[in-house]
Amino acid sequence: MLYHLFTYLDREYDLLGAGVFQYISFRAGMATLTSLLIAMMFGGRLIKILQRKQVGESIRDLGLEGQMEKKGTPTMGGLIILLAILVPTLLFARLDNIYVLLMIVSTIWLGMIGFLDDYIKVFKKNKEGLAGKFKVLGQIGLGIIVGLTLYFNDDVVVRQYIFTDGSTSAVNATSKWVDIKSMITTIPFRKNNELDYCNLFSFAGPVFADWSCYLYIPFVILVITAVSNGANITDGIDGLAAGTSAIIGVTLAIFAWVSGNTIFADYLDIMFIPNSGELTIFALAFVGACVGFLWYNSYPAQVFMGDTGSLAIGGIIAVMALIVRKELLIPILCGIFLIENLSVMLQVSYFKYTKKKYGEGRRIFKMSPLHHHYQKNGYHESKIVSRFWIVGIMLAILTLATLKLR
């Protein structure tokens, strides 16, 4: 909004200082600061409103130390995160950019699904919340929208540079280049690290090759559903999901910055995605929102994000990774989400297997997700969260290292 306003003022009236809004770095910095201020200034007010409305979390007694002390803590705090993401994005990002619009739609879409789930839990006194099948249907719906947009929209392109012999490269080989519609993505740790979804089954003949492109949309659905649910499961102790998401957000902001900048893309020999640099503004607003939310969500939490926040932040991370063509790095970058998900899957599967085989269910962990296992072992919440953050930072560094480790 402000970008378009100041661009007009700069062009028509040569307003002093208006040209600074042309720089993504300036607008990204302002978006980060604004999101932090919104989360910190309006978070307290929202918490008081939630307390007056008695929007308290109902706690199941799982035998965890300090657990019952959290009973009545306001939930739906994800509204703070959503507000702190959307307002700076609307103010500082280009609203004619397809990637920014896609991120806004994704944020609102999953935020509404999470809000409906929290609303049913709190106001309808139904501990189960929104039925799981409806959550999944909502995630599938978003996956279809994102997949179709990235696949068909004419503004979603990658730039390839042309050698003198007519072959193409992602780097600036000559001054000749062409923006093409392509479903290529990045394979980590490989020298020639581009994978084209449309060529996955080319070995099987032209019939299968024609259809292989359409596998991209189911894959998008899988990524969004998996990461969204992973963030939801990780949101189990104070500050864990928000802090981990902020670390991931910084990494994705860097990817968006270098992927949308011809100089950095050339230097790093990575895919140049025109107009994706604008996503840096959204990504840093996301980081600011998560960090600002920690002002109230760090131990002992004054508010929980609820599904309003956790489903949204997971979906945001997934869609950002898909846009910058780094979705195959998600198992590394979102390793915390992955291990939390796997711990639940392994626990349930092993319990069912041993119950069928021995007549008695056995467990791998004392409790799942994994963070509860460490709580059962006597670790304090703050220590668990800090160590998970450290692991998250290590995974983020490893993810960034894939820019050159091939």
Side-chain angles (χ1 to χ4, degrees), residues 330-342:
I330 283 177
I332 304 173
L333 178 60
C334 301
I336 297 295
F337 294 168
L338 177 63
I339 196 66
E340 293 276 56
N341 250 333
L342 286 176

Side-chain angles (χ1 to χ4, degrees), residues 46 50 55 57 74-80 115 118-120 122-123 303-308:
L46 183 59
L50 293 173
V55 184
E57 182 77 23
T75 187
M76 289 188 178
L79 291 170
I80 300 171
F115 178 82
D118 288 335
Y119 180 86
I120 293 172
V122 174
F123 293 102
V303 66
F304 300 138
M305 69 170 66
D307 283 13
T308 305

Side-chain angles (χ1 to χ4, degrees), residues 161-174:
Y161 296 88
I162 304 172
F163 287 110
T164 52
D165 61 1
S167 59
T168 58
S169 170
V171 299
N172 193 357
T174 71

Side-chain angles (χ1 to χ4, degrees), residues 247-324:
I247 295 166
I248 295 170
V250 170
T251 310
L252 289 171
I254 294 171
F255 278 131
W257 176 263
V258 299
S259 297
N261 186 292
T262 52
I263 297 173
F264 288 129
D266 184 16
Y267 172 73
L268 295 169
D269 189 15
I270 61 173
M271 189 188 313
F272 174 60
I273 308 170
N275 302 315
S276 65
E278 200 70 19
L279 197 61
T280 309
I281 297 163
F282 182 94
L284 289 180
F286 172 76
V287 172
C290 290
V291 173
F293 182 70
L294 283 173
W295 186 270
Y296 301 102
N297 185 241
S298 57
Y299 182 86
Q302 296 170 255
V303 66
F304 300 138
M305 69 170 66
D307 283 13
T308 305
S310 61
L311 287 177
I313 62 176
I316 287 168
I317 289 167
V319 177
M320 278 199 288
L322 287 160
I323 289 174
V324 296

